[in-house]
Amino acid sequence: MGIFNEFVTRADALADETFTEYTVTKRRFEAAERKRAETPVKHGLVSAEYAVRAAKAEADYLEAREKYETVKRGLHEKSSQMAAIRADFVAAVAGHFAADPAKLDKATLALLESGILKPGEYERLMASAEKDENFTMIRLIAAKAAEVADKAPTREGEATLKAVAMRGRNADGADYIRAFDNCVVSLFERCLRNPSLYSSWDMLMQPVRDAL
């Protein structure tokens, strides 16, 4: 389970609560609607037993319809609950990837400022920082690589330094936020517009659970 999986779990719980309530309420309404059609209220001479059944079917139908309409009207309010989950997620991502003075590697900083590093050595320093998930050093190494890329003695060296710089620019958590927006939030909104899509929720969410 990834470090941000708790937010996917919260989204799963909201979706399950939202669409289970919708599905159950809709089924009860449809059942009441069928019962009402089978036992319509009739005016005139009918047996007392039929009149009671018809009256109950009508009352059950009206109650089920009101509950169903209430649930449908409330679906748009679920968007604000998903927005709250997203806001917490964005804050967690920002905190995880934020620059941290405690993560400064003074020896590596000295090398970066020495001017002696070769392009391949920048790549190795970046790989080490990535392995340690030291996002502060990843960003610093990337910034320095971008600064010196145009001064590389060869095109190959320039390409290596620009690749290192690109890896640092992607170390701000933006990819996680895009994934959450494009998959979790987008899928939830689509299900709100068309609740029948919820049957595919688990399948479509699994890659996100694996990634986060």
Side-chain angles (χ1 to χ4, degrees):
M1 183 176 288
I3 55 174
F4 300 123
N5 207 262
E6 67 169 283
F7 300 100
V8 178
T9 300
R10 286 172 60 187
D12 279 337
L14 175 61
D16 183 63
E17 174 191 325
T18 299
F19 298 111
T20 296
E21 180 184 33
Y22 173 87
T23 300
V24 169
T25 306
K26 183 173 184 287
R27 286 175 180 169
R28 287 175 178 170
F29 166 68
E30 290 172 342
E33 191 174 40
R34 288 192 300 271
K35 189 68 173 177
R36 177 182 184 241
E38 294 167 0
T39 321
V41 173
K42 296 180 180 180
H43 301 287
L45 293 176
V46 295
S47 68
E49 184 269 338
Y50 181 90
V52 170
R53 286 194 295 115
K56 184 177 186 308
E58 181 70 16
D60 289 347
Y61 165 78
L62 292 174
E63 181 182 3
R65 185 181 68 179
E66 177 59 29
K67 288 183 179 179
Y68 180 47
E69 292 299 327
T70 298
V71 169
K72 286 199 297 182
R73 287 193 300 270
L75 285 178
H76 75 278
E77 298 175 2
K78 302 296 184 177
S79 292
S80 61
Q81 295 181 38
M82 179 59 76
I85 294 173
R86 181 190 183 276
D88 290 345
F89 174 73
V90 170
V93 170
H96 183 72
F97 287 94
D100 182 356
K103 296 291 186 178
L104 290 174
D105 181 339
K106 294 181 180 180
T108 298
L109 288 174
L111 284 174
L112 292 174
E113 294 302 325
S114 70
I116 67 170
L117 291 174
K118 298 176 182 178
E121 291 171 326
Y122 277 92
E123 201 285 328
R124 286 194 290 275
L125 289 175
M126 177 61 81
S128 177
E130 288 173 337
K131 180 180 178 181
D132 294 338
E133 294 190 347
N134 188 334
F135 300 107
T136 300
M137 291 308 302
I138 288 172
R139 290 163 63 184
L140 288 169
I141 294 166
K144 191 64 177 181
E147 179 184 324
V148 302
D150 292 338
K151 302 172 186 176
T154 66
R155 289 186 177 180
E156 181 181 1
E158 180 181 1
T160 297
L161 289 167
K162 287 183 176 179
V164 170
M166 181 62 69
R167 285 157 67 178
R169 283 196 289 271
N170 292 334
D172 59 0
D175 287 347
Y176 284 91
I177 295 173
R178 279 193 293 272
F180 195 87
D181 285 343
N182 294 337
C183 298
V184 182
V185 177
S186 176
L187 177 59
F188 187 75
E189 293 297 331
R190 285 167 58 199
C191 287
L192 287 179
R193 292 191 296 272
N194 183 5
S196 65
L197 291 174
Y198 181 62
S199 60
S200 301
W201 177 272
D202 281 338
M203 178 188 70
L204 295 173
M205 283 289 291
Q206 192 55 51
V208 185
R209 296 186 190 102
D210 294 340
L212 298 181

